[in-house]
Structure formats: C-alpha cells, structure tokens
Amino acid sequence: MRVAILGCGYVGCELGRQLVERDHDAIGVRRSDDGLEALESAGLEAVQADVTDPATLEAVPDVDAIVFAASSGGRGADAAREVYIEGLETAIEAFGERENPPERLIYTSSTGVYGDHDGDWVDEETPIEPTTEKTEMLAEAERVALELPGEYGFDGAVARYAGLYGPDRYRLERYLEGPVTEGYLNMIHRDDAAGAVRYLLREDLARDEVVQVVDDEPVEKWAFADWLANEAGVERPPKRTKSERLEADDLSEAARRRILTSKRCSNGKLRELGYELAYPTFREGYREAIDARR
C-alpha cells in the first residue's frame, strides 16, 4: 500500500512511521520545507507541495490512498476555508483527474463539530451542530470528503479526532498549576490517532463512513487534574466553575463557546471495527510524561 499524507505534521509523521514499519510506502507532504528532514529520518518519502496549489501536487507520485491532515495553523476563518475546504477540494480533484487515481481518501476532522450536548454521550449517529467558524469549516470539509471523491471514482471517509496529546503535547503544567475550569475532556493519544487511520487503511474499513477516534474514557477536567497531581506528587490545583471563568473580560466569543461546550465522545464504532488502543485511557497515555517529570 502506498499512502500520501497531505499536511504531514504531528499525527501524520507518526502515521507514516507506522506504515513504513509495516512495510508500506508513505509519502509525507508539507507546504514548507520545514520538517522535511524529520519525515525522511522517519522513513517517509518527503515532498514539498501545497494542497491549495494543484501544480505543486504534481510532485506527489500516484498512491493507493490519501490522508488529508493539513492544518490552517491556527489562523483565521479565511485561512481555515482555504485549507480545510478549498485545499481538500483541490487535492481530491488533482488526484482524481490522474490516469491512476487513488482508491480512497481519509479526512482527519475534529469532534468539535458536535457543538454542545450538555455532557451527554455523542457518536457517529449524533447530528453535528458546529458553534464556531472553524468547526463550521470542518463540518463542511467532512461533507466534501464524503461526497466529492465519488465523482472521481474513489471513496472518502472521515476520522473524527478528539483532543490530541502525546510527546511534546502533554501540557502537564496547564493542569498541575491551574486554575482548571470544569468540563469534560475527550482525548486520543497521538499514536492511536495515527494507529486508527493506519488500521482503517490496512484493513480496508469504513469507506464512505465517519469514525470517531477517541479513547475509552472521557474524563472530567477536575478529576483529571487531581489524578495528575496525585501521580506527580504535587498539591492539587485550584479549580473554577464555568460561570467563574465566563466572568473574565479577556475571553473571545469563540473561547466562551468552547467553555460552554460539553459532551462525552464514544469510541464504540472504532472498537467494533476491531482497533485495539495502545493507550485506552489517559492513565496509560500520561504515564511516560509523569515518570519523566518525576
């Protein structure tokens, strides 16, 4: 299997490494030359190309599958539309018009598309209700990923990620120092975010479907922070309620919406498909970071 990972960053590089480790070919595609050496050292073929520029995508060889993991880099709504929607459309068209188009595409999205469900459980059957400009873009991109590939004779799919963490992204001090605002955390370790997509590709599963990629146990932020403190051997951090946090004058409207958003994401479908998590909960996932801090 030959896979092109468009926007090969934090998760993409690990996905490529896992594919290469299992004797597949992985091509890491980045917009700038920053990080190309890291991709090559991980065993990937590194290509510099921009998903919004079809001419540059010609440098990417024919592949069996595309994983679209490009990011807008935290920029505004215009940049999000340019990358998530227009870039995805450009990539699908550029590869779809080839003499040897791919067989499938997986688009990596976010559980942020659900909006607020007052702490209730959500799964792939739950209607999505994005509440910010960015999540509205992601929701539209999901529609593109599921519908547009069919016009070129291949299949699309969506891997809907919960909050990513892992090496270089544990953010321990954020929870150990506090104050910690109440609400649920839905998380997935980087290795499982990559592993789930690799599994769907390798086993040829979930064509034209959405799969939620999240671990076994959503956790309340206060409980998570206290667990971290206990494991790290430090005092438990200060806490604050949502209403206390919302009294602050420094919050943007998008930040207020994020604070008010509460849900618990189920991984029932991912489990039913047969994927075995390397880090089933935060307890396993944060062990390395806690041991290193000690």
Side-chain angles (χ1 to χ4, degrees):
M1 181 169 58
R2 198 173 205 199
V3 181
I5 305 165
L6 308 183
C8 194
Y10 186 62
V11 175
C13 189
E14 173 61 19
L15 170 59
R17 189 196 65 78
Q18 291 186 22
L19 287 167
V20 170
E21 187 178 64
R22 291 162 177 79
D23 297 323
H24 302 293
D25 294 328
I27 300 157
V29 180
R30 295 178 67 100
R31 179 172 50 195
S32 69
D33 58 7
D34 294 342
L36 291 181
E37 288 186 6
L39 300 184
E40 292 173 344
S41 65
L44 285 68
E45 178 182 344
V47 175
Q48 185 176 354
D50 187 338
V51 295
T52 65
D53 184 349
T56 65
L57 289 174
E58 293 177 4
V60 184
D62 292 344
V63 292
D64 301 303
I66 305 166
V67 176
F68 191 97
S71 168
S72 62
R75 295 175 292 165
D78 290 342
R81 173 169 291 280
E82 180 183 24
V83 174
Y84 296 128
I85 300 174
E86 296 171 5
L88 178 60
E89 291 173 339
T90 297
I92 292 171
E93 292 165 1
F95 282 91
E97 290 174 349
R98 293 186 176 189
E99 184 177 347
N100 296 302
E103 295 180 9
R104 65 179 304 184
L105 167 139
I106 294 182
Y107 171 72
T108 61
S109 185
S110 165
T111 56
V113 298
Y114 285 111
D116 180 37
H117 287 268
D118 197 26
D120 286 344
W121 286 92
V122 297
D123 61 19
E124 293 82 357
E125 302 303 316
T126 304
I128 60 175
E129 299 175 2
T131 57
T132 67
E133 282 186 314
K134 180 179 178 180
T135 53
E136 287 174 356
M137 302 295 181
L138 292 172
E140 174 63 13
E142 287 191 3
R143 185 194 65 76
V144 171
L146 292 170
E147 296 179 3
L148 187 57
E151 296 182 17
Y152 296 91
F154 62 102
D155 298 318
V158 172
R160 195 176 279 163
Y161 286 155
L164 293 164
Y165 74 99
D168 300 321
R169 290 199 186 183
Y170 288 109
R171 303 182 180 95
L172 286 179
E173 305 311 319
R174 173 182 176 184
Y175 291 99
L176 291 177
E177 296 177 1
V180 179
T181 304
E182 66 180 327
Y184 279 105
L185 283 172
N186 298 277
M187 296 187 284
I188 188 71
H189 191 282
R190 177 204 64 183
D191 294 3
D192 281 315
V197 171
R198 182 256 308 157
Y199 178 80
L200 296 178
L201 290 170
R202 182 180 173 190
E203 302 299 321
D204 196 19
L205 297 169
R207 288 181 180 245
D208 296 325
E209 296 180 19
V210 175
V211 178
Q212 191 153 263
V213 182
V214 61
D215 69 19
D216 288 346
E217 188 177 335
V219 60
E220 217 289 327
K221 291 178 184 177
W222 288 0
F224 174 67
D226 286 347
W227 178 84
L228 278 180
N230 292 343
E231 293 297 311
V234 300
E235 291 187 9
R236 293 182 173 185
K239 317 289 196 308
R240 60 189 172 195
T241 64
K242 290 185 178 183
S243 59
E244 289 171 335
R245 180 69 181 107
L246 290 170
E247 290 174 359
D249 296 328
D250 60 342
L251 292 175
S252 65
E253 182 59 30
R256 289 180 177 276
R257 290 178 181 176
R258 284 195 296 271
I259 292 168
L260 291 170
T261 297
S262 180
K263 60 186 178 296
R264 285 175 287 173
C265 299
S266 167
N267 68 2
K269 182 172 182 176
L270 182 65
R271 284 295 204 177
E272 289 173 4
L273 289 170
Y275 180 69
E276 294 294 331
L277 289 155
Y279 301 96
T281 76
F282 60 88
R283 298 177 189 84
E284 297 83 10
Y286 273 83
R287 178 54 51 198
E288 179 182 355
I290 292 170
D291 289 346
R293 189 181 191 281
R294 283 178 167 175

